[in-house]
Structures are given as C-alpha cells and as structure tokens.
C-alpha cells in the first residue's frame, strides 16, 4: 500500500521567508510525528499529533515553528521567518500502534 | 531521562562476515526498542522492534537484534553481511507520548 508521502522533496528559500512542509500519512494511521535531521543535532523530535490534536509540542525549537493536522490526516509544518540554522531534513512519520513509518523527508536549505 | 547510545560512528565489515551494530539504552520501565536503516537521500526504513517476549527479535533483510535487560543493550546483528547492507543505522527507544528518541547513528560499511 501507499506509504507516508511528503512534499516538496526539496525546498530552497531565502532567510526571512516562510515555508510550509506537507505530510500525507498512511491511511488509517491516527498518530503523526514530525522530526528533524541535521548534521549537528542528529534526529530530533519536533511534534506529535493524535488525531487533530497535538499533545506533545515539546520539540518545536522556537515560536517560529508551528504545525497543524486536519481531518485526522494531512499535516503541515510551517516555519516562519526562516533562519540558516533551520536548514535540515524534515521527516514525517505515522503510526497505528507501536511502529512509526517514515516518509522520504523534505530537504530544506535556507540561504 | 530516556536516552540511546550508539558507541560506534562507523562499523566496517567484509562481505560474508557477521556484523554487529551496538546500541545501549537508558529508560525507566519496560523499553520499546527499534532499529531503522537509512539509505542515502532516503527516509528511515523500519527494520525490527522489541516490545515484549523473546529476547531475539528477527526483522527485515535477515537482520536480528538481541535484547539484553541486564546489560541494557539491543545490538543489531546479521550472520552474513552484504555490500548492499551499507547504510546508516539508527537505534531508538520510545519515549513519553510515543515519540522516538534516537541514537546518533552508526554508518555500516561492507567491503566486497
């Protein structure tokens, strides 16, 4: 069946611009997660959704980062006023029980 | 605090030889442990997990992992390495609210 999909696959933006990253989870998966992978920080958790609510936002690095999920399905991660340190691969995962399945990621480069 | 350690940045092994990628964890309560593999410019691919039951867990592509509670370890193993196994391997433990806490990753290089 279809896996987790993310778009765009690559995004280049200028410092100070806003960006939106999209995640389409596996159908029927109630939980959705965002992670960030960068050279300096490794793989770090950003935010967790159960249905449309976000019980754990503890990993969002600043108030420039926000995310929402609608219809218990698609999620959007928004980064406002991007900074060069936001450059990373943003990974989305979804799960029904214990195992999280990851999408291919969005590679963000902030110039 | 829950954490995972992967003590080796890189593991080199000859094709056909057995391989081990090490992982130790720190968690309160019973751990849920996972191994993922990442090929270049790809997302993370699930290999196997330990939740409960047998300490030896079998997963995809001939990989297995041994859960050792006394040593708080969950090492990834394969009896005979393939060149195509060369990739970045991540160990993870499930934290509070089900988020995954990852180790720093180990690059496996299998030489022909």
């Amino acid at each position: 069946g279809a896996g987790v999909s993310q778009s765009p696959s690559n995004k280049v933006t200028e410092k100070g611009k806003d960006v939106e990253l999209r995640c389409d989870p596996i159908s029927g998966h109630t939980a959705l997660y965002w992670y960030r992978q960068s050279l300096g920080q490794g793989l770090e958790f950003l935010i967790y959704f159960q249905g449309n609510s976000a019980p754990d936002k503890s990993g969002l690095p600043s108030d420039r980062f926000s995310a929402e999920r609608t219809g218990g399905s698609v999620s959007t991660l928004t980064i406002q006023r991007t900074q060069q340190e936001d450059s990373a691969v943003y990974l989305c995962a979804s799960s029904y029980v214990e195992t999280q399945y990851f999408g291919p990621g969005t590679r963000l480069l902030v110039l | 605090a829950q954490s995972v350690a992967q003590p080796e940045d890189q593991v080199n092994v000859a094709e056909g030889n057995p391989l081990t990628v090490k992982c130790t964890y720190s968690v309160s309560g019973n751990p849920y442990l996972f191994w993922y593999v990442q090929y270049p410019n790809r997302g993370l691919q699930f290999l196997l997990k330990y939740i409960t039951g047998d300490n030896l867990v079998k997963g995809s592509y001939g990989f297995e992992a041994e859960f050792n509670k006394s040593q708080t370890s969950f090492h990834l193993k394969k009896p005979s390495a393939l060149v195509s196994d060369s990739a970045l391997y991540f160990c993870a433990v499930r934290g509070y609210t089900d988020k995954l806490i990852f180790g720093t990753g180990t690059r496996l290089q299998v030489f022909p």
Side-chain angles (χ1 to χ4, degrees):
Chain A
V4 178
S5 60
Q6 293 185 245
S7 61
S9 53
N10 290 280
K11 177 73 176 178
V12 181
T13 191
E14 294 178 349
K15 178 181 172 181
K17 300 283 190 183
D18 298 351
V19 295
E20 283 190 354
L21 312 180
R22 177 187 169 105
C23 172
D24 282 88
I26 294 171
S27 178
H29 281 195
T30 55
L32 186 148
Y33 307 79
W34 284 97
Y35 296 87
R36 181 168 71 173
Q37 184 175 23
S38 56
L39 281 176
Q41 302 298 323
L43 267 162
E44 51 180 348
F45 164 79
L46 296 178
I47 187 169
Y48 155 59
F49 287 93
Q50 182 61 245
N52 291 336
S53 62
D56 188 353
K57 307 178 185 178
S58 63
L60 294 178
S62 76
D63 58 9
R64 296 186 296 105
F65 287 73
S66 63
E68 65 174 12
R69 189 179 184 193
T70 56
S73 181
V74 172
S75 177
T76 303
L77 177 68
T78 302
I79 309 173
Q80 295 179 310
R81 305 181 302 281
T82 52
Q83 303 294 313
Q84 288 182 329
E85 61 263 28
D86 299 335
S87 296
V89 176
Y90 290 82
L91 294 166
C92 175
S94 70
S95 72
Y96 181 65
V97 281
E98 300 99 2
T99 304
Q100 295 183 25
Y101 295 93
F102 284 79
T106 294
R107 187 173 299 271
L108 175 66
L109 179 61
V110 182
L111 300 177
Chain B
Q2 293 163 311
S3 64
V4 171
Q6 292 182 245
E8 302 153 318
D9 289 336
Q10 179 152 332
V11 170
N12 299 317
V13 65
E15 188 174 33
N17 282 0
L19 70 87
T20 298
V21 182
K22 295 179 181 177
C23 172
T24 58
Y25 65 90
S26 174
V27 63
S28 55
N30 294 321
Y32 284 24
L33 296 159
F34 301 82
W35 276 102
Y36 286 85
V37 60
Q38 187 175 37
Y39 296 98
N41 300 314
R42 304 282 293 276
L44 297 174
Q45 210 169 313
F46 170 71
L47 277 180
L48 50 79
K49 66 183 175 186
Y50 173 82
I51 305 298
T52 186
D54 289 343
N55 289 340
L56 186 63
V57 178
K58 294 189 183 296
S60 307
Y61 313 119
F63 283 93
E64 56 191 28
E66 186 168 11
F67 171 67
N68 188 316
K69 189 172 184 177
S70 62
Q71 297 185 2
T72 62
S73 66
F74 189 55
H75 300 331
L76 182 70
K77 301 181 180 185
K78 187 173 182 182
S80 178
L82 299 172
V83 172
S84 57
D85 292 331
S86 298
L88 189 56
Y89 290 80
F90 288 95
C91 181
V93 65
R94 194 176 80 171
Y96 304 117
T97 68
D98 300 343
K99 63 188 174 190
L100 291 176
I101 299 163
F102 288 91
T104 50
T106 298
R107 186 164 301 282
L108 174 66
Q109 189 72 45
V110 182
F111 294 95

